[in-house]
Structures are given as C-alpha cells and as structure tokens.
Amino acid sequence: METSLFDHSSSPVTLPSFLLLFLAVYLIGYFIIFRSWKSSSHLGASCLMSLFHGTPAVVMASHALLTTPRAAVHSFASPNTVVESTVLDFSMAYFTVDLFHYLIFLPNDFIFILHHIATLYVFATCRFAVGHGAHALLLLLVLAEVTSACQNVWTITGYRKHDVVMARRVRELLSPPFYLFYTLVRGLAGPVALYDMAAFYGSGAAEGAIPRWAWLSWLVVIGVAILVSVLWVLRNWVDWFREKNNSNKKSK
C-alpha cells in the first residue's frame, strides 16, 4: 500500500487526459462562450481556462498537502505521491495549452511566455526527472493560484470596461481588494514559503533525494516569479492611485 502511494511514475488521470480537458475548455470558450467578442475571443477563452485551473488546483493541492502522511521535517524532499503527481499533471496541462495560446495569439507577450515555460520546467523536472519535492511546489501552487478567481474576473472585466458599463463598475469595485489580497499572498506569504524552501534545501536535508541543480534552479525560477508578481501588483497600485487622484480632481 505504501509503495503504491509513493509511486510517482503512475497517476490515475494522465497528463494527456488533462491536456484534452483544457483544450476542450479553451475551444468552448473561443468558439461558443466568447464568440461575440470577435477579435478578442481568444482572451476570454484563456481566462475561462484559467478559471477551470486556478481554484480546482488550489483544492487539489490542498487536499494532497493535508492528506499525505509524511514526517514534516522531510516533507520538502519526500517522494512524490500519486495524488501529488496528479496535481502536477493537471497544472502542466493547463500551462501547456495556455502557452500555445500565447505563442499563437500573443507572441510578443514575452513575460507570460517565459513565465509559462519556467513553470513547466519546474513542474516537469519535479514530476519526471527528480520524483521528489512536490510537497514544496504544491504549497507554492496554492499561494500562486488562490488569487486566480479574483484575477480572472478582474481581467475579463478589464477587457470589456470600455464597452460594458457593468464591467467597468465591477472592475473599479474589485480592484482595491484584489490588489490587497494579491499583495499579501505574493508579497508576504510567497517570500516566506520561498525562504523556508531555501533554508531546507540549503541545509543539505534534501541531499540524496533532490539534486542540487534541481532545487537551485527551482529557487531561482520561483524567486524571479515572485519578484515579477510583486512588481506587477505595485504597478497596478500606482495606476489605481493615479486614476483615483485624477478622478478626485475632476470632481472638484
């Protein structure tokens, strides 16, 4: 029973199955739900796919973290379980399909393309090359995707704020709490989790389980991702305060 639980080579739902799932969601969004958006239907389809990934990924990763028995001191270097591998497959499938979306429709959006490639690298090396360390990555996945639902509603309303009055109102109402939530998660919780990972791996506790090249590259990729996220939300805070000040000046 224990051998089956920690057999990272097998998963009850395969990566190809998840790829087909997210491709189907994208096509439904593109050709049916957001067809009226015409030249922007691909943007809505990407957000729809992200909604299908974000919150379910948080639930799946949380379940894996809370239900897998392991010694806490070795958790960041423990062998990947079937459940953890399934979550990695789920997320890799989403990022793969969304990466093709960016390569086809938004090839100049280098930040998102690089983000997706880097994320796939971390998940794929953990899943297929190393076979250990999913516990730490799933913890970070929860922090990365817990803001997904808010962010996608914020993004979708942003696409239509100039055309639909309700979209503009929802965007204006949602922006401050979303920025605050995002700041707390990415600016505070994220760095703390990354520090815990760095301290664990730097102590040599993962020696013999996770190669140095693997955990070092994971830390670099995750650290850069957190930095970019913080810069992104800071820019949005600046824009929000600027718009607020301009609006107050006009009302006087």
Side-chain angles (χ1 to χ4, degrees):
M1 183 71 175
E2 184 176 347
T3 302
S4 176
L5 178 65
F6 287 95
D7 180 12
H8 65 270
S9 64
S10 63
S11 177
V13 183
T14 64
L15 178 59
S17 298
F18 285 134
L19 285 170
L20 291 175
L21 169 65
F22 283 110
L23 180 60
V25 171
Y26 185 90
L27 293 176
I28 290 172
Y30 186 89
F31 289 108
I32 300 176
I33 298 177
F34 298 102
R35 183 175 60 178
S36 62
W37 284 26
K38 298 179 181 178
S39 61
S40 300
S41 57
H42 61 284
L43 300 176
S46 178
C47 285
L48 178 67
M49 191 170 58
S50 182
L51 282 168
F52 269 78
H53 169 256
T55 302
V58 171
V59 174
M60 292 169 65
S62 298
H63 174 264
L65 292 171
L66 294 173
T67 60
T68 301
R70 65 181 83 233
V73 69
H74 299 303
S75 59
F76 284 179
S78 297
N80 300 343
T81 68
V82 169
V83 177
E84 290 170 338
S85 295
T86 300
V87 181
L88 292 176
D89 285 348
F90 182 74
S91 286
M92 283 190 293
Y94 159 72
F95 282 109
T96 299
V97 177
D98 205 44
L99 175 61
F100 278 103
H101 154 78
Y102 276 97
L103 291 174
I104 294 171
F105 294 106
L106 303 166
N108 294 323
D109 201 334
F110 299 114
I111 292 180
F112 271 94
I113 290 174
L114 290 174
H115 169 270
H116 283 24
I117 292 174
T119 302
L120 284 169
Y121 163 78
V122 172
F123 286 171
T125 52
C126 175
R127 171 74 167 91
F128 300 112
V130 179
H132 293 68
H135 183 88
L137 299 186
L138 294 191
L139 176 61
L140 287 164
L141 178 64
V142 170
L143 296 178
E145 297 297 338
V146 73
T147 59
S148 177
C150 291
Q151 184 168 355
N152 280 291
V153 173
W154 177 85
T155 302
I156 290 174
T157 54
Y159 291 146
R160 304 308 303 270
K161 65 180 180 180
H162 299 299
D163 307 318
V164 181
V165 175
M166 180 61 71
R168 185 177 71 251
R169 290 176 179 172
V170 171
R171 170 89 168 199
E172 292 174 351
L173 183 66
L174 184 61
S175 289
F178 165 59
Y179 295 160
L180 179 59
F181 185 30
Y182 194 96
T183 300
L184 292 174
V185 173
R186 301 296 184 95
L188 294 178
V192 170
L194 180 62
Y195 174 80
D196 288 343
M197 279 184 65
F200 177 85
Y201 293 135
S203 69
E207 188 173 351
I210 302 177
R212 181 172 297 181
W213 65 263
W215 62 259
L216 276 175
S217 61
W218 294 352
L219 292 177
V220 170
V221 169
I222 295 166
V224 171
I226 290 175
L227 176 61
V228 172
S229 296
V230 171
L231 293 175
W232 179 84
V233 76
L234 285 176
R235 185 189 67 182
N236 280 287
W237 274 120
V238 170
D239 291 341
W240 183 79
F241 279 112
R242 183 184 298 116
E243 292 174 3
K244 201 72 174 176
N245 289 335
N246 292 337
S247 177
N248 290 337
K249 289 178 181 178
K250 290 180 181 179
S251 63
K252 289 181 180 179

